[in-house]
Amino acid sequence: MALSSMLSSPAVQAAPAPAAMVAPFTGLKSASAFPVIRKSNEDITSLSSNGGRVQCMQVWPPVGKKKFETLSYLLPLSPESLAKEVDYLLRMGWIPCLEFELEKGFVYRENHKSPGYYDGRYWTMWKLPMFGCTDSAQVLKELEEAKKAYPHSFIRIIGFDNKHQVQCISFIAYKPPGF
């Protein structure tokens, strides 16, 4: 008898599941099994909770606040913070490079509406990558030169891994006035 006819035969019985297997899903439990805590409506901060200690967490406002690259949810980085980020980049053995964008500074859709296509992904490189750079002061000096040359542009610092041929870090180092 062929295997396909054996499987379709009503005489074939399924073997019981071994005891070590997980029990099948039997549905949701009754709401009466969970404790109910009633709170007074006097304190507005305790009306909603995410289940942890943090209550009424504000989310990123979607209007008027664009999210640009890594660390964009933070306040603008100070020169000391930028130097620390660049020091990290150099410690990891990545090659620093500066890029700038004159128009928008973020990913958008304008020329093509198909899925996966976005404009604004590619920025203009400021000079060549800084091969052999060993000090964050060198990168910050180039950043100041780029700011003088293009004061109304977005400028980002990227870290490039030349062994794996990938960009490993990218963050906005300068935003034009008004952003």
Side-chain angles (χ1 to χ4, degrees), residues 97-109:
C97 181
L98 273 70
E99 295 180 332
F100 64 96
E101 168 64 34
L102 296 172
E103 294 178 13
K104 297 187 180 181
F106 51 86
V107 175
Y108 58 95
R109 285 185 156 193

Side-chain angles (χ1 to χ4, degrees), residues 77-141:
L77 297 174
S78 67
E80 296 81 21
S81 298
L82 280 172
K84 287 180 182 179
E85 291 297 325
V86 174
D87 285 336
Y88 169 77
L89 182 152
L90 293 170
R91 270 196 319 273
M92 297 304 292
W94 300 330
I95 305 206
C97 181
L98 273 70
E99 295 180 332
F100 64 96
E101 168 64 34
L102 296 172
E103 294 178 13
K104 297 187 180 181
F106 51 86
V107 175
Y108 58 95
R109 285 185 156 193
E110 183 176 287
N111 296 316
H112 203 277
K113 305 297 183 199
S114 67
Y117 179 84
Y118 294 93
D119 296 300
R121 294 178 294 169
Y122 303 110
W123 292 25
T124 306
M125 189 183 303
W126 170 259
K127 298 185 179 178
L128 292 174
M130 301 177 74
F131 296 103
C133 178
T134 57
D135 186 18
S136 61
Q138 296 168 320
V139 178
L140 296 180
K141 180 178 173 256

Side-chain angles (χ1 to χ4, degrees), residues 15-22:
M21 293 188 72
V22 177

Side-chain angles (χ1 to χ4, degrees), residues 6-7 11 13 17 21 47-48 66 69 71 84 116-117 151-152 161-162:
M6 286 182 11
L7 292 177
Q13 297 290 331
M21 293 188 72
L47 291 179
S48 63
K66 286 288 184 186
E69 305 284 335
L71 309 177
K84 287 180 182 179
Y117 179 84
H152 298 290
D161 184 344
N162 64 339

Side-chain angles (χ1 to χ4, degrees), residues 68-70 77 105 123 154-156 170-175:
F68 302 91
E69 305 284 335
T70 309
L77 297 174
W123 292 25
F154 294 86
I155 303 172
R156 68 182 175 190
S170 173
F171 56 92
I172 297 287
Y174 174 76
K175 292 181 206 170

Side-chain angles (χ1 to χ4, degrees), residues 9-100:
S9 172
V12 176
Q13 297 290 331
M21 293 188 72
V22 177
F25 179 71
T26 58
L28 298 175
K29 296 190 177 8
S30 166
S32 64
F34 299 108
V36 176
I37 300 173
R38 302 276 182 213
K39 296 183 180 180
S40 67
N41 289 338
E42 296 170 11
D43 183 13
I44 193 165
T45 61
S46 66
L47 291 179
S48 63
S49 172
N50 64 359
R53 294 182 180 192
V54 178
Q55 294 182 350
C56 294
M57 181 184 290
Q58 184 179 3
V59 297
W60 187 263
V63 179
K65 296 278 186 181
K66 286 288 184 186
K67 190 168 184 184
F68 302 91
E69 305 284 335
T70 309
L71 309 177
S72 65
Y73 55 90
L74 298 174
L75 294 173
L77 297 174
S78 67
E80 296 81 21
S81 298
L82 280 172
K84 287 180 182 179
E85 291 297 325
V86 174
D87 285 336
Y88 169 77
L89 182 152
L90 293 170
R91 270 196 319 273
M92 297 304 292
W94 300 330
I95 305 206
C97 181
L98 273 70
E99 295 180 332
F100 64 96

